[in-house]
Amino acid sequence: HFGSRSALGPTVFTALEVHHAISRAMSLPFEVELGMADLSIYLWALRQAPGADEVYRREALRKMVVAFLSKERFIDLGDAVQFALARHKPVVVHLLRNVTLPSPVTTTRRRCEKVIWCSIPSDSCVSLVSRGGPWRIRQSCTAEPLICSSLFALGSKAQLSIRDVNFEAVGANIKYPAYIAIVGMGGGAGVVDMPDDAQTIGYIDVIRREHQT
Protein backbone atom coordinates (compact mmCIF):
# COMPACT_ATOMS: atom_id res chain seq x y z
CA HIS A 1 0.00 0.00 0.00
CA PHE A 2 1.58 3.28 -1.15
CA GLY A 3 -0.94 5.72 0.28
CA SER A 4 -2.84 8.34 -1.65
CA ARG A 5 -1.74 9.62 -5.06
CA SER A 6 -1.55 13.19 -3.74
CA ALA A 7 0.87 12.09 -1.02
CA LEU A 8 3.23 10.68 -3.62
CA GLY A 9 3.24 13.84 -5.73
CA PRO A 10 2.10 14.75 -9.23
CA THR A 11 4.19 12.14 -11.08
CA VAL A 12 2.01 9.18 -10.01
CA PHE A 13 -0.95 8.41 -12.26
CA THR A 14 -3.57 5.73 -12.40
CA ALA A 15 -3.48 3.19 -15.20
CA LEU A 16 -6.66 4.73 -16.62
CA GLU A 17 -5.09 8.20 -16.76
CA VAL A 18 -2.02 6.80 -18.54
CA HIS A 19 -4.25 4.94 -20.99
CA HIS A 20 -6.21 8.12 -21.80
CA ALA A 21 -3.00 10.16 -22.23
CA ILE A 22 -1.46 7.59 -24.59
CA SER A 23 -4.69 7.20 -26.55
CA ARG A 24 -4.96 10.97 -27.02
CA ALA A 25 -1.32 11.26 -28.14
CA MET A 26 -1.74 8.45 -30.69
CA SER A 27 -5.10 9.60 -32.05
CA LEU A 28 -5.38 11.58 -35.25
CA PRO A 29 -5.78 15.27 -34.39
CA PHE A 30 -8.73 16.36 -36.57
CA GLU A 31 -12.25 14.93 -36.44
CA VAL A 32 -15.36 15.37 -38.56
CA GLU A 33 -18.74 13.92 -37.61
CA LEU A 34 -20.44 11.95 -40.35
CA GLY A 35 -23.88 12.82 -41.61
CA MET A 36 -26.72 10.29 -41.41
CA ALA A 37 -26.34 9.36 -45.09
CA ASP A 38 -22.72 8.22 -44.67
CA LEU A 39 -23.40 6.61 -41.30
CA SER A 40 -26.34 4.65 -42.71
CA ILE A 41 -24.09 3.14 -45.40
CA TYR A 42 -21.57 1.98 -42.78
CA LEU A 43 -24.31 0.53 -40.57
CA TRP A 44 -25.90 -1.30 -43.51
CA ALA A 45 -22.53 -2.87 -44.38
CA LEU A 46 -22.03 -3.81 -40.73
CA ARG A 47 -25.41 -5.54 -40.60
CA GLN A 48 -24.33 -7.82 -43.47
CA ALA A 49 -21.16 -8.93 -41.66
CA PRO A 50 -20.95 -12.34 -39.93
CA GLY A 51 -21.82 -12.02 -36.25
CA ALA A 52 -23.66 -8.71 -36.67
CA ASP A 53 -26.77 -9.99 -34.89
CA GLU A 54 -24.72 -10.75 -31.80
CA VAL A 55 -23.27 -7.23 -31.81
CA TYR A 56 -26.69 -5.62 -32.17
CA ARG A 57 -28.13 -7.65 -29.29
CA ARG A 58 -25.58 -6.11 -26.90
CA GLU A 59 -26.62 -2.51 -26.39
CA ALA A 60 -23.33 -1.28 -24.91
CA LEU A 61 -21.31 -2.85 -27.73
CA ARG A 62 -23.75 -1.54 -30.33
CA LYS A 63 -23.44 2.02 -28.99
CA MET A 64 -19.65 1.77 -28.98
CA VAL A 65 -19.56 0.61 -32.61
CA VAL A 66 -21.96 3.36 -33.72
CA ALA A 67 -19.92 6.01 -31.87
CA PHE A 68 -16.76 4.78 -33.59
CA LEU A 69 -18.33 4.75 -37.05
CA SER A 70 -19.98 8.16 -36.69
CA LYS A 71 -16.70 10.09 -36.93
CA GLU A 72 -13.84 10.34 -39.42
CA ARG A 73 -10.40 11.37 -38.19
CA PHE A 74 -7.56 12.94 -40.16
CA ILE A 75 -3.90 13.76 -39.74
CA ASP A 76 -4.10 16.62 -42.25
CA LEU A 77 -6.09 19.81 -41.62
CA GLY A 78 -6.85 20.37 -45.29
CA ASP A 79 -8.12 16.81 -45.76
CA ALA A 80 -10.46 17.19 -42.79
CA VAL A 81 -11.92 20.45 -44.10
CA GLN A 82 -12.32 19.18 -47.67
CA PHE A 83 -14.00 15.98 -46.44
CA ALA A 84 -16.44 18.00 -44.34
CA LEU A 85 -17.13 20.50 -47.13
CA ALA A 86 -18.25 17.66 -49.38
CA ARG A 87 -20.79 16.48 -46.78
CA HIS A 88 -21.93 19.29 -44.49
CA LYS A 89 -22.97 22.90 -44.55
CA PRO A 90 -21.96 24.56 -42.30
CA VAL A 91 -18.71 22.68 -41.67
CA VAL A 92 -17.32 21.86 -38.22
CA VAL A 93 -13.85 20.36 -37.73
CA HIS A 94 -12.84 19.39 -34.20
CA LEU A 95 -9.28 19.58 -32.92
CA LEU A 96 -8.73 16.68 -30.49
CA ARG A 97 -5.20 17.33 -29.20
CA ASN A 98 -2.13 19.51 -29.63
CA VAL A 99 -0.62 19.04 -33.08
CA THR A 100 2.40 20.23 -35.04
CA LEU A 101 1.84 20.71 -38.77
CA PRO A 102 5.21 20.02 -40.44
CA SER A 103 6.76 22.27 -43.02
CA PRO A 104 5.57 21.41 -46.52
CA VAL A 105 8.07 19.31 -48.43
CA THR A 106 9.45 21.29 -51.38
CA THR A 107 10.40 19.35 -54.49
CA THR A 108 11.93 22.26 -56.36
CA ARG A 109 14.59 24.86 -55.71
CA ARG A 110 12.32 27.65 -56.93
CA ARG A 111 11.04 30.01 -54.26
CA CYS A 112 7.41 29.50 -53.31
CA GLU A 113 5.25 32.61 -53.23
CA LYS A 114 3.19 31.09 -50.42
CA VAL A 115 2.27 27.77 -48.91
CA ILE A 116 -1.32 27.17 -47.82
CA TRP A 117 -2.33 24.26 -45.60
CA CYS A 118 -6.06 24.59 -46.22
CA SER A 119 -8.21 26.52 -48.73
CA ILE A 120 -11.80 27.47 -47.91
CA PRO A 121 -13.84 28.03 -51.08
CA SER A 122 -15.93 31.13 -51.70
CA ASP A 123 -19.24 31.35 -49.84
CA SER A 124 -18.29 28.46 -47.52
CA CYS A 125 -18.54 28.51 -43.74
CA VAL A 126 -16.04 26.52 -41.65
CA SER A 127 -15.66 26.24 -37.88
CA LEU A 128 -12.51 24.93 -36.17
CA VAL A 129 -13.31 24.00 -32.57
CA SER A 130 -11.31 22.25 -29.85
CA ARG A 131 -12.96 19.24 -28.27
CA GLY A 132 -11.82 18.71 -24.68
CA GLY A 133 -9.27 21.53 -25.04
CA PRO A 134 -8.33 24.23 -25.65
CA TRP A 135 -5.64 22.67 -27.84
CA ARG A 136 -2.80 24.19 -29.84
CA ILE A 137 -1.82 24.05 -33.52
CA ARG A 138 1.91 24.58 -34.06
CA GLN A 139 2.69 25.76 -37.58
CA SER A 140 6.22 24.79 -38.67
CA CYS A 141 7.66 27.31 -41.12
CA THR A 142 11.25 26.10 -41.39
CA ALA A 143 11.24 24.71 -44.94
CA GLU A 144 13.21 26.53 -47.62
CA PRO A 145 12.59 28.07 -50.06
CA LEU A 146 9.53 29.77 -48.63
CA ILE A 147 8.33 33.38 -48.70
CA CYS A 148 5.23 33.07 -46.52
CA SER A 149 2.84 30.45 -45.24
CA SER A 150 -0.71 30.41 -43.94
CA LEU A 151 -2.89 27.76 -42.35
CA PHE A 152 -5.97 28.99 -44.23
CA ALA A 153 -6.77 30.90 -47.40
CA LEU A 154 -10.33 32.18 -47.64
CA GLY A 155 -12.18 32.70 -50.88
CA SER A 156 -14.66 35.49 -51.50
CA LYS A 157 -17.30 35.76 -48.72
CA ALA A 158 -15.96 32.63 -47.01
CA GLN A 159 -16.23 32.50 -43.21
CA LEU A 160 -13.87 30.89 -40.71
CA SER A 161 -14.83 30.62 -37.05
CA ILE A 162 -12.19 29.53 -34.51
CA ARG A 163 -13.03 28.55 -30.92
CA ASP A 164 -10.77 27.33 -28.09
CA VAL A 165 -7.77 26.89 -30.39
CA ASN A 166 -4.34 28.41 -29.79
CA PHE A 167 -1.67 28.85 -32.43
CA GLU A 168 2.12 28.93 -32.58
CA ALA A 169 4.36 29.64 -35.58
CA VAL A 170 7.87 28.15 -35.44
CA GLY A 171 10.57 29.53 -37.71
CA ALA A 172 8.60 32.53 -38.94
CA ASN A 173 10.09 36.03 -39.04
CA ILE A 174 9.73 39.34 -40.89
CA LYS A 175 11.42 37.93 -44.01
CA TYR A 176 9.45 34.66 -43.95
CA PRO A 177 6.15 35.54 -42.22
CA ALA A 178 3.45 33.13 -41.17
CA TYR A 179 -0.28 33.80 -40.90
CA ILE A 180 -3.30 31.98 -39.59
CA ALA A 181 -5.37 33.12 -42.57
CA ILE A 182 -5.07 35.01 -45.84
CA VAL A 183 -8.18 36.89 -46.96
CA GLY A 184 -9.06 39.23 -49.77
CA MET A 185 -9.61 42.96 -49.67
CA GLY A 186 -12.81 44.93 -50.06
CA GLY A 187 -16.47 44.19 -49.40
CA GLY A 188 -16.39 40.59 -50.62
CA ALA A 189 -13.42 39.53 -48.51
CA GLY A 190 -13.53 36.43 -46.35
CA VAL A 191 -14.10 36.85 -42.62
CA VAL A 192 -12.16 35.26 -39.73
CA ASP A 193 -13.88 35.17 -36.35
CA MET A 194 -11.63 34.23 -33.44
CA PRO A 195 -11.52 35.34 -29.80
CA ASP A 196 -9.25 38.23 -28.87
CA ASP A 197 -7.72 36.18 -26.05
CA ALA A 198 -6.61 33.27 -28.27
CA GLN A 199 -2.87 32.64 -27.99
CA THR A 200 -1.00 33.44 -31.20
CA ILE A 201 2.73 32.95 -30.59
CA GLY A 202 5.34 33.72 -33.24
CA TYR A 203 3.09 35.67 -35.61
CA ILE A 204 3.84 39.25 -36.63
CA ASP A 205 0.33 39.52 -38.10
CA VAL A 206 -2.37 36.91 -37.68
CA ILE A 207 -4.35 37.84 -40.81
CA ARG A 208 -2.93 38.86 -44.19
CA ARG A 209 -5.09 40.85 -46.58
CA GLU A 210 -4.27 40.80 -50.27
CA HIS A 211 -5.88 41.31 -53.65
CA GLN A 212 -7.37 38.09 -54.99
CA THR A 213 -7.64 37.26 -58.64
Side-chain angles (χ1 to χ4, degrees):
H1 178 67
F2 294 98
S4 68
R5 179 158 55 108
S6 59
L8 290 172
T11 58
V12 179
F13 302 93
T14 67
L16 185 59
E17 288 172 328
V18 172
H19 170 75
H20 287 329
I22 293 175
S23 297
R24 182 181 297 118
M26 295 179 65
S27 67
L28 300 180
F30 302 105
E31 180 182 87
V32 177
E33 294 187 2
L34 290 178
M36 283 304 302
D38 288 319
L39 182 58
S40 297
I41 293 173
Y42 286 154
L43 293 177
W44 179 86
L46 179 63
R47 287 289 285 168
Q48 314 310 309
D53 290 339
E54 182 66 22
V55 171
Y56 271 77
R57 277 195 294 268
R58 301 183 181 184
E59 183 178 1
L61 182 57
R62 183 175 71 246
K63 288 182 177 179
M64 182 176 67
V65 170
V66 171
F68 175 79
L69 292 175
S70 65
K71 302 175 180 66
E72 286 281 354
R73 292 184 176 179
F74 301 84
I75 194 170
D76 183 83
L77 173 61
D79 288 346
V81 171
Q82 295 307 313
F83 177 86
L85 281 168
R87 288 160 175 81
H88 304 288
K89 287 185 180 180
V91 171
V92 179
V93 174
H94 289 106
L95 177 63
L96 304 180
R97 61 172 173 84
N98 293 335
V99 62
T100 297
L101 302 182
S103 296
V105 177
T106 56
T107 58
T108 173
R109 293 183 179 274
R110 296 172 55 194
R111 297 179 72 84
C112 302
E113 283 297 324
K114 68 186 73 165
V115 172
I116 307 297
W117 269 265
C118 177
S119 296
I120 301 178
S122 298
D123 299 309
S124 299
C125 181
V126 173
S127 295
L128 176 65
V129 184
S130 281
R131 172 170 284 171
W135 302 115
R136 180 263 306 142
I137 294 179
R138 178 178 290 134
Q139 181 180 352
S140 181
C141 312
T142 56
E144 293 285 357
L146 184 64
I147 290 181
C148 79
S149 64
S150 178
L151 291 176
F152 296 94
L154 277 64
S156 175
K157 298 182 181 179
Q159 300 178 50
L160 171 63
S161 175
I162 299 172
R163 293 292 180 267
D164 295 325
V165 181
N166 298 318
F167 298 89
E168 180 183 3
V170 178
N173 51 49
I174 295 177
K175 188 176 181 181
Y176 304 111
Y179 306 93
I180 293 175
I182 294 177
V183 301
M185 302 178 70
V191 176
V192 179
D193 176 22
M194 62 184 297
D196 294 335
D197 59 354
Q199 293 184 11
T200 54
I201 301 172
Y203 297 89
I204 298 173
D205 292 307
V206 173
I207 307 297
R208 173 172 172 165
R209 300 186 180 277
E210 60 181 35
H211 291 287
Q212 295 178 331
T213 58

